[in-house]
Amino acid sequence: MRQNRNMRISILGLLAAVCAPLFAQTPVHLRVDATDAPRRLFHVQMSMPVKAGPLTLMYPEWIPGEHGPTGPIVNLVGLKVQGGGKTIAWKRDSVNMYAFHVDVPAGVTSLDVAFDFISPPENSGFSSGASATSELAVLSWNQLLLYPQGSQPDDLQYQATLRVPNGWRYGTALPIAKESGNEIEFQPASLTTMVDSPVSAGAHYRTIDLGTDNGIPHYLHLAADSDRALEVSPEVIGEYRNLVKEAGALFGTRHYRGYHFLYTLSDHVAHFGLEHHESSDDRYDERTLIDPDTQRVSADLLSHEFVHSWNGKFRRPSGLISGNHDGGYDTPMQGDLLWVYEGLTEYLGEVLAARSALWTPEDYRERLAETAADLDNKFGRQWRPLEDTAVAAQVLYEAGSDYSDYRRGVDYYPEGTLIWLEVDVTIRQLSKGKKSLDDFCRTFHGGPGGAPALKPYNLADVVAGLNAVEPYDWAGFLNERLHSTSAHAPLGGIEHSGWKLVYDGERSDFWKAYEDAEKLTDLSYSVGLKVKDDGTIADIAFAGPAGKAGISPSTRVIAVNGRQFSATELREAIDRAVKDSKPLELLIKDGEYYKTYRVDYHGGERYPHLVRDESTTDLLTEIIAPKVKK
Ligand SMILES: [Zn+2]
């Protein structure tokens, strides 16, 4: 696969030599003025080499790592195109909203394009969601540039300068040419590298050295809404330094020149992580790194995104290579292998969080119990096989959170954890402890290392990679799990690694931290409700007692057995009903109407846990043990 790609590039190089001028020879000059970022406005000016004749300018649509057409075209405003000192009319394509047609007059060799980008205030979404506050901003270059249709992002060069508000500091993986005052001039970079290299900046900013390995540096750049949020303890910094070493031990080779975690800490930006080759755009609550409970529930965010540098950026399913070639960012992506791209990353990100001491072994097991219970109780398993959640990724990320266990969401993340754990355990058992999934990672994700590279794969490559580590019917193993419509989740990885999924009436510390972070009470496995602190029913278990009683999501619990709702009152009523034959009475407000529902449930509170099965060897503890001596 790699050889073909190199051939393609050399053929293009040849074409460039014979039919000049192509865009590759003169860089596009891009100036971004972010001094109005606190008002959520970014000003863009581009100067682009052109030839006379029809030209189509494209705004990136299919954003790498987001697996969908998420480019925020609706927030591009004030578009002006000029050439030879005169305004040139543009016309948006009637079908493709991301395409602008212009006719370049004879004699014009350079086009000046200007527009503004409105960074939205909403908290939802990914990089196109809220990205700027009065104190900080995250810049995604794909939102701040246009490119000529038909050009290859690998071959198109951009020379960018960026102005940030006075006094703001910044971090990025994009190589810098020089700085002066609040202006940064970057080295010329391909469009691929630009889109892959966001910048975080802010008034409250701290860069922490996470250590160098074979000359390759690692940094944690924190942009926060307050100075207090930057006061990370030496212990937490030590855990992230462990992460750098443990990832090196897992994969062997690093496919980057340096790695930059851009961690944005704010309650007013979208919360997510987006992977890049040499950085990640990670965003969570303002107090994440100074509040132990928030740190606990989010500890695998950075490890997940870091793993993507190997699994997702360097090795990528061929269907997810929009952008790098084959037509630029207007090429639709195909998500059918996201259970490898995201699922394996989810598994490894959690394992690395435990190996790095970001999680205790108990934290890891409680998260795994949560994942297993969630999937094992999904009503929608009986109509929707896991593979369909991956194929439908481009619409599922935006799906509502109501009736989620009937619909199924982007389940290839958590179910990827279960499947890859089972792969790991199976390799360990078949090889009698001599091999593990770590061996697969070292070969499948190995290579010369150094600068970012891309090595595409398909399902046959994954199967061949597994067979090279340990021969087995891996195609059959994977296909069975991908296409199953069994009512139950694949729990073989847990069971064969010496543990059992059980339920009891006690919430773990991990579960309490999750409920606090989400501001809800999760009674999914007992009465079948997830209730927010104000009584709003976030969701129901479709086949659970509350669902069977006719209660629907997005309504609101007003009273429990005649007394005003509170989370404590609801929990205690469930506990009292164990010894009471009367149903639970819930007064529910639905729009402007009130109705009492009787829920006949007497099983008490139930929360998932993993307990040791002494009849089986404990492989799980070995899997999550540190591999690097501390
Ligand atoms: Zn991911």
Side-chain angles (χ1 to χ4, degrees), residues 65 67 273 275 304-305 308 341-342 345-346 413:
H67 319 313
E275 63 276 19
H304 176 105
E305 302 308 336
H308 269 317
Y341 182 122
E342 292 295 356
T345 300
E346 189 77 352
Y413 289 80

Side-chain angles (χ1 to χ4, degrees), residues 347-369:
Y347 174 63
L348 296 174
E350 290 171 347
V351 165
L352 284 179
R355 288 183 185 176
S356 309
L358 283 157
W359 275 343
T360 64
E362 192 183 359
D363 289 336
Y364 175 86
R365 288 193 300 269
E366 293 295 352
R367 165 60 75 83
L368 185 55

